[in-house]
């Protein structure tokens, strides 16, 4: 199909990488990673960059130039993640082996596995930058679940969309609109669930608690890899919606 959203005979309407359960698992991992970095790695949220821009502006306003420069580190990592996730998919398509989405989740798993082996004395910035990088790639890669715009590493979009569709549902009582509300509320719920599980595990496992995020990511990876090698082998060149 070469990027077209048209559907031909026997072609799946949505790829596995666009299924809602995949996004729900990624949201769970996102909530888990956010809680981990806040609880054990410097009291920061690495899933998005708004807070870093706010802190940058405060540091600049107070004349703390060294502190201001520090915030460019996570920003650069997040920026690099976005650039890499734009450059690699087309190049990977040439080989016709697996989709970029699948490779990305595998890469995330390797990064998180490595972070769990870091000693507790290791600088927090190692974990922060690594998670900034993979969170950016995940956010930029997984964009729509069955046609619904999604963000898999933070909640702001889901909260906004919930408000928008509640207003529309109050006006129309449309079943499709109600379904969208439930989808976004579900994504918020699994994000919170991931954070809760991480909060319970961190005091017990310390830095190795980051491995808990591997559970939902492993389920995602296995499903995506099976689709690439078996059920969607003929659709590796198809571009997911939203790209």
């Amino acid at each position: 199909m070469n990027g077209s959203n048209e559907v031909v005979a026997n072609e799946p309407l949505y790829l596995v990488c666009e299924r809602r359960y995949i996004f729900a698992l990624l949201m769970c991992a996102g909530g888990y990673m956010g809680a981990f970095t806040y609880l054990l790695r410097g009291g920061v949220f690495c899933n998005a960059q708004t807070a870093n821009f706010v802190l940058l502006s405060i540091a600049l306003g107070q004349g703390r130039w060294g502190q201001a420069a520090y915030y460019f580190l996570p920003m650069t990592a997040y920026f690099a993640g976005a650039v890499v996730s734009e450059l690699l998919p087309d190049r990977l398509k040439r080989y016709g082996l697996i989709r970029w989405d699948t490779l990305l989740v595998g890469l995330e798993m390797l990064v998180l596995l490595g972070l769990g082996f870091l000693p507790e004395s290791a600088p927090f910035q190692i974990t922060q930058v690594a998670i900034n990088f993979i969170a950016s790639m995940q956010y930029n890669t997984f964009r729509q679940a069955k046609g619904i715009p999604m963000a898999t590493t933070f909640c702001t979009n889901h909260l906004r969309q919930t408000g928008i569709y509640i207003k529309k549902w109050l006006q129309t009582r449309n079943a499709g609109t109600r379904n969208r509300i439930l989808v976004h509320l579900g994504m918020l719920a699994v994000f919170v669930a991931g954070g809760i599980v991480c909060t319970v595990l961190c005091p017990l496992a310390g830095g190795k608690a980051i491995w808990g995020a591997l559970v939902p990511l492993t389920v995602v990876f296995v499903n995506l890899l099976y689709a690439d090698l078996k059920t969607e082998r003929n659709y590796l060149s198809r571009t997911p919606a939203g790209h």
Side-chain angles (χ1 to χ4, degrees), residues 67-241:
Q67 187 68 24
Y70 167 80
Y71 293 114
F72 282 102
L73 185 63
M75 291 175 184
T76 301
Y78 204 88
F79 174 79
V83 172
V84 169
S85 63
E86 286 292 317
L87 291 175
L88 289 186
D90 287 339
R91 297 186 179 185
L92 192 63
K93 279 183 182 180
R94 300 173 188 171
Y95 298 98
L97 300 175
I98 61 173
R99 303 183 65 84
W100 159 248
D101 316 67
T102 308
L103 180 62
L104 166 60
V105 176
L107 176 62
E108 283 191 68
M109 293 170 63
L110 289 176
V111 170
L112 296 181
L113 182 65
L115 292 178
F117 285 111
L118 289 176
E120 296 298 328
S121 59
F124 292 160
Q125 290 81 0
I126 297 175
T127 299
Q128 292 172 4
V129 167
I131 292 182
N132 272 307
F133 184 69
I134 62 175
S136 175
M137 290 195 293
Q138 179 179 308
Y139 169 49
N140 195 45
T141 299
F142 294 89
R143 301 184 185 182
Q144 288 190 17
K146 297 184 72 173
I148 300 178
M150 294 279 178
T152 61
T153 58
F154 55 89
C155 294
T156 305
N157 176 64
H158 296 288
L159 193 61
R160 181 180 69 89
Q161 294 287 347
T162 300
I164 290 172
Y165 283 100
I166 283 179
K167 180 260 185 184
K168 291 182 178 180
W169 181 79
L170 290 173
Q171 291 177 328
T172 65
R173 300 293 197 245
N174 179 272
T177 301
R178 183 184 63 219
N179 181 59
R180 284 211 172 198
I181 295 171
L182 294 176
V183 168
H184 287 296
L185 287 176
M187 294 297 168
L188 290 170
V190 293
F191 189 92
V192 171
I196 292 173
V197 173
C198 183
T199 301
V200 172
L201 292 180
C202 279
L204 301 175
K208 289 181 172 54
I210 191 61
W211 290 343
L214 293 175
V215 176
L217 290 177
T218 298
V219 177
V220 171
F221 181 75
V222 169
N223 278 269
L224 294 182
L225 186 62
Y226 182 80
D228 290 347
L229 300 179
K230 298 291 184 179
T231 60
E232 295 178 351
R233 185 67 184 165
N234 294 329
Y235 309 118
L236 291 179
S237 63
R238 176 173 162 180
T239 302

